[in-house]
């Protein structure tokens, strides 16, 4: 059994209360202070911090709105890696593994868990570097399978339904004006011409009052 | 291996084609039918909690798990094939309903000339002027013969749309260039989205004839001739790659299954992975499959229908050693010949206002029929055939559509500038796509891979496939049409570049993969006759887009169904009375 690992995040960072104006300007109200301890399923605490630092550079928190840290992207990634996807249960992994043309996509043996572990390790003590150094380092690995995977996962963690661990407080959806999985636009589809239509976003669980079984929770 | 009790008919695959055939046979004859489907059972209520982009659209919850079975690909016979390790250019379905559960619902008829394309092109260009490696063929069946079966399929689904040509009369609102229809669509067209209105107005200003795509997503409550009632589409936008939770999108599970479940002579055996069609002395004797618990069975059957989608239709015939493998160097053999996909392209139009793109429906789209087939093509384009431009309004989802940026909007594809630009352009990007005809060529084909195997150790299917200059020119012409359209819509487009790239298995295009068991007028050019009956084995029928000797611009499924019903009619009315060759 692995040691229980936690990621500690200040409550103000995770979600907070985010409001969204029709003009598309997000702004955040300060949440009360305190710390949230999130149990990790795959990462060690050090790895989670490292991954969080990378995600925060990919999708930063800045004047244009909150980012990967507030959305809890690293929690999303941790759950994906711990589940069957992380163990490559949805990829053809029979050999021989060959070097082929780029049109054939990723052909490596390593599964997402291994890609992350090796990728994070190769960055040394990334989280401790000064910001400018971090950016430079990421620029130097931009083309790697590891970096592209983290980038894809960051977008997923920003905009997937919050039941997957990211998009905390629906901040990703609020920033882009996505209302969530609404049941019907039958009355709206041919209206709102020239106008943004922005109903208050809701998650699947808020809409259906039930939560589906998630793929990341399946046996891996 | 356990020997089971014989059945009259064994159908391999429980998708649109397999279940449509099962319904005809069980309701119109006394025969007992078993459908062997490798995936799991499905019903509409399964989809109630399915509006989750991540699990369904990205982790592909409804598709066949590629870890179990995939294909390999190489660009030419000189290359070594590599397996497609993660899904990309197309997405095979599994489970009851097959890909028909998570399809978009675009429900087109083909143009009449598609069924006689070789003769048509010979007439138009002169046989001597056509490229030597062009492989297109006539199907041995005509549009007029299929018309009633198209209508039967449209009624079953309740296809929404507007006739453009009703018994020769040109009507406003539809496709004025379509072949004559004998009946108006069962339900009126879907409502247009805002972006579609912009596209339609711009296209009309430029002198084109845009129209709202026919869709198997119901525009109003509809009861089909079998008495199955379904509600109107809610434009929820969780359609392609999802099952419809209200049943508005026609899926085998909400149209055919309700009828089949009442039939005592019907059995659906899920979790049944067919490995081989067993045959003796030129007759199929049954099917060998692995059941859900791993046990191996032999199901004897008087008649076998292969309906397992293009990939496994070809692979199972090859694994069962039925027919002769095509060899591109000699052009001998027919199995695996005429592999086509679809020619796609995308011109993105950047608009200055948000468009509420999250509303939409799988097949909701405007189509531009003005250059379909070879209509309106000038010699200087250097094209034999083209296709249709379209603007789809399927409901834009946040992960897939994030950060569609104009060229040069950010220095790199991550970091603060990128984020800012991505937020700025969110909900403002319209894509004008191409559904281009993909002609068949001598060098594009399928056979068994010598190296890689599926979860049972059976050889995978291998694609040898690449684009030719004709397809690059189709994309050039698409951009030539789409860029002015985008401007006329009031948007900006990127500078057009065509890298003339090789076929890649990474980017999703369509799941319109055709050929391999092609239909034709003679056994030396085709695998099945006009009734989808195997030329060499009269008690074996092969149905699905594997029988198409080329890819038409239009989506395949309605034609797959029309052929299935055409075959079913001949099977029930003629074959059962007098088993033997139908052609
Ligand atoms: C995302 C997506 C969108 C699409 N959109 C459109 C559209 O808008 N319009 C359109 O016309 N078409 C569309 N298509 C294509 C359409 O889904 C197919 O043309 C249609 O489903 C084909 O029906 P079929 O019965 O031939 O094959 P399928 O629906 O693929 O069914 C074949 C069945 O056979 C089973 N099977 C395969 N091998 C075996 C085996 N060895 N043993 C047992 N069972 C087996 C499979 O599990 C599957 O259930 C789309 C496809 C996808 C994936
Ligand atoms: S868009 Fe319409 S047809 Fe498609 S899933 Fe939603 S309600 Fe069903």
């Amino acid at each position: 059994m692995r040691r229980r690992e936690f990621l500690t995040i200040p409550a103000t960072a995770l979600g907070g209360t985010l409001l969204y104006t029709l003009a598309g300007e997000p702004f955040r109200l300060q949440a009360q202070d305190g710390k949230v301890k999130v149990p990790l399923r795959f990462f060690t605490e050090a790895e989670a911090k490292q991954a969080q630092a990378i995600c925060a550079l990919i999708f930063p928190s800045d004047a244009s709105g909150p980012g990967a840290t507030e959305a809890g992207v690293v929690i999303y990634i941790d759950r994906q890696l711990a589940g069957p996807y992380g163990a490559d249960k949805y990829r053809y992994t029979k050999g021989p593994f060959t070097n082929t043309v780029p049109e054939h996509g990723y052909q490596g043996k390593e599964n997402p868990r291994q890609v992350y572990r090796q990728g994070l390790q190769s960055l040394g003590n990334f989280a401790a570097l000064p910001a400018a150094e971090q950016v430079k380092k990421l620029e130097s690995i931009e083309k790697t399978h590891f970096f592209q995977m983290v980038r894809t996962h960051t977008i997923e963690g920003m905009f997937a339904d919050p039941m997957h661990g990211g998009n905390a407080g629906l901040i990703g959806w609020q920033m882009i004006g996505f209302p969530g999985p609404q049941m019907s636009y039958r009355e709206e589809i041919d209206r709102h011409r020239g106008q943004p239509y922005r109903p208050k976003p809701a998650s699947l669980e808020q809409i259906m009052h039930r939560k589906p079984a998630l793929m990341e929770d399946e046996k891996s | 291996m356990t020997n089971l009790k014989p059945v009259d008919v064994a159908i391999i695959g429980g998708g649109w084609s397999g279940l449509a055939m099962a319904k005809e046979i069980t309701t119109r004859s006394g025969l007992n039918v078993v459908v062997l489907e490798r995936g799991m059972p499905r019903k509409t209520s399964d989809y109630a909690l399915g509006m989750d982009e991540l699990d369904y659209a990205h982790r592909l919850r409804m598709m066949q798990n590629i870890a179990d079975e995939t294909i390999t690909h190489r660009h030419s016979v000189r290359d070594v094939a590599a397996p497609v390790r993660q899904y990309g250019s197309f997405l095979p379905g599994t489970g009851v309903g097959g890909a028909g559960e998570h399809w978009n619902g675009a429900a087109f008829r083909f143009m009449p000339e598609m069924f006689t394309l070789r003769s048509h092109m010979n007439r138009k260009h002169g046989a001597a002027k056509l490229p030597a490696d062009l492989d297109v063929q006539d199907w041995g069946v005509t549009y007029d013969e299929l018309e009633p079966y198209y209508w039967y399929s449209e009624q079953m689904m309740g296809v929404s749309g507007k006739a453009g040509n009703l018994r020769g009369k040109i009507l406003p609102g539809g496709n004025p260039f379509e072949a004559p229809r004998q009946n108006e669509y069962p339900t009126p067209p879907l409502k247009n989205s805002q972006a579609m209105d912009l596209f339609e107005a711009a296209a009309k200003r430029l002198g084109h004839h845009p129209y709202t795509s026919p869709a198997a997503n119901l525009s109003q409550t509809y009861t089909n001739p079998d008495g199955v009632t379904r509600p109107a589409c809610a434009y929820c936008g969780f359609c392609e790659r999802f099952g419809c939770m209200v049943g508005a999108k026609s899926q085998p599970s909400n149209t055919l299954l309700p009828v089949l479940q009442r039939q005592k002579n019907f059995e659906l055996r899920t979790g049944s992975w067919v490995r081989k069609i067993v045959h003796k002395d030129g007759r199929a004797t049954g099917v060998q499959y692995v059941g859900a618990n791993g046990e191996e069975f032999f199901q004897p059957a008087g008649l076998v229908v292969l309906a397992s989608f293009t990939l496994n239709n070809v692979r199972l015939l090859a694994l069962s050693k039925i027919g002769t493998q095509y060899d591109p160097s000699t052009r001998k053999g027919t199995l695996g010949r005429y592999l086509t996909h679809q020619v796609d392209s995308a011109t993105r139009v950047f608009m200055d206002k948000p468009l509420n793109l999250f509303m939409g429906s799988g097949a909701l789209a405007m189509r531009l029929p003005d250059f379909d087939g070879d209509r309106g093509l000038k010699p200087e384009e250097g094209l034999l055939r083209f296709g249709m431009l379209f603007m789809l309004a399927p409901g834009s989802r946040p992960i897939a559509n994030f950060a569609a940026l104009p060229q040069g909007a950010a220095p790199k594809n991550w970091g603060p500038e990128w984020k800012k630009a991505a937020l700025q352009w969110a909900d403002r990007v319209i894509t004008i796509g191409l559904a281009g005809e993909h002609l068949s060529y001598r060098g594009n084909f399928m056979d068994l891979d010598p190296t890689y195997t599926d979860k049972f150790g059976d050889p995978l299917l291998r694609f040898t496939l690449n684009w030719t200059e004709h397809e690059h020119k189709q994309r050039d012409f698409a951009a030539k049409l789409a860029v002015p359209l985008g401007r006329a819509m009031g948007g900006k487009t990127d500078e057009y570049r065509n890298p003339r790239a090789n076929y890649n298995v990474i980017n999703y295009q369509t799941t319109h993969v055709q050929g391999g068991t092609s239909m034709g007028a003679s056994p030396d050019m085709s695998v099945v006759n006009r009734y989808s009956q195997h030329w060499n084995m009269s008690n074996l029928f092969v149905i699905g887009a594997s029988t198409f000797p080329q890819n038409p611009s239009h989506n395949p499924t309605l034609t797959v169904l029309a052929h299935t019903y055409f075959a079913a009619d001949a099977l029930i009315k003629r074959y059962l009375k007098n088993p033997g060759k139908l052609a």
Side-chain angles (χ1 to χ4, degrees), chain B residues 348-427:
Chain B
R348 293 173 313 159
V349 184
F350 300 92
M351 306 293 288
D352 60 1
K353 283 207 190 68
L355 295 157
N356 307 324
L357 294 168
F358 48 82
M359 303 188 233
S361 177
L364 184 62
M366 294 301 304
R367 297 266 167 173
L368 210 68
D370 298 73
F371 305 91
D372 204 5
D374 47 26
R375 184 177 314 112
L377 297 180
K378 301 211 181 76
E380 62 262 32
E381 315 300 350
L383 288 176
L384 294 168
R385 312 279 302 167
F386 181 58
M388 281 190 294
L389 288 193
F390 65 92
M391 198 231 94
L392 200 62
S396 154
R397 291 179 299 269
I399 298 171
N401 292 284
F402 187 72
L405 298 183
Q407 279 160 2
K412 53 179 191 264
N413 70 359
W414 55 278
E417 295 99 329
W418 169 78
K419 176 195 166 196
K420 192 167 174 218
L423 294 178
Q424 181 198 332
W425 287 107
D427 199 28

Side-chain angles (χ1 to χ4, degrees), chain A residues 170-202:
Chain A
L170 306 179
I171 60 176
W173 291 353
Q174 296 186 58
M175 275 193 280
I176 56 170
F178 181 71
Q182 304 281 336
M183 302 278 289
S184 175
Y185 300 115
R186 217 176 268 142
E187 305 309 321
E188 285 82 18
I189 178 85
D190 55 355
R191 289 172 47 209
H192 310 288
R193 297 298 197 247
Q195 296 292 330
Y197 172 60
R198 298 288 181 263
K200 185 166 177 273

Side-chain angles (χ1 to χ4, degrees), chain B residues 217 233-239 243-246 248-249 360-362:
Chain B
N217 322 68
C233 171
Y235 305 88
C236 76
F238 285 76
C239 202
C244 179
M245 72 166 112
V246 295
K249 178 170 70 173
S361 177

Side-chain angles (χ1 to χ4, degrees), chain B residues 11-20 35-40 42 63-64 69 90-108 110 157 214 217 239-242 249 252 269 271-276 287-290 306-313 315-316 362-363 367 392 454 456 508 510-514 543-546 548 554-561 564:
Chain B
I11 297 180
I12 306 166
W16 270 130
S17 59
L19 293 184
V35 169
L36 300 164
E37 165 55 49
R38 66 180 169 191
M40 74 272 217
R42 286 217 182 94
M63 284 58 167
Q64 181 241 313
E69 178 189 336
F90 51 83
L91 301 169
T94 192
V96 173
E101 293 297 292
H102 51 72
W103 70 319
N104 293 59
F108 287 98
F110 291 174
M157 293 185 174
N217 322 68
C239 202
E240 177 195 0
R241 305 189 180 197
F242 301 81
K249 178 170 70 173
R269 230 175 269 161
S272 307
W273 199 297
V274 175
R275 293 180 64 184
K276 217 193 215 164
V287 169
Q288 186 185 321
Y289 74 95
V290 180
L306 181 54
S308 60
F309 188 60
T310 302
L311 308 177
N312 269 337
N313 279 1
R315 192 167 82 108
L316 284 173
R367 297 266 167 173
L392 200 62
D454 70 6
F456 298 115
Y508 185 71
T510 63
T511 306
H512 309 162
V513 182
Q514 297 82 196
I543 51 179
S546 60
F548 296 4
H554 303 73
N555 311 49
T557 305
L558 200 72
T559 305
V560 166
L561 283 169
T564 303

Side-chain angles (χ1 to χ4, degrees), chain A residues 65 92 94 96 104 151 164 194, chain B residues 52 73 194 413 419 452 454:
Chain A
Y92 181 78
K94 279 191 163 188
H104 288 150
R151 180 186 174 273
H164 292 289
Chain B
D52 173 23
H73 170 266
Q194 174 167 205
N413 70 359
K419 176 195 166 196
Y452 294 95
D454 70 6

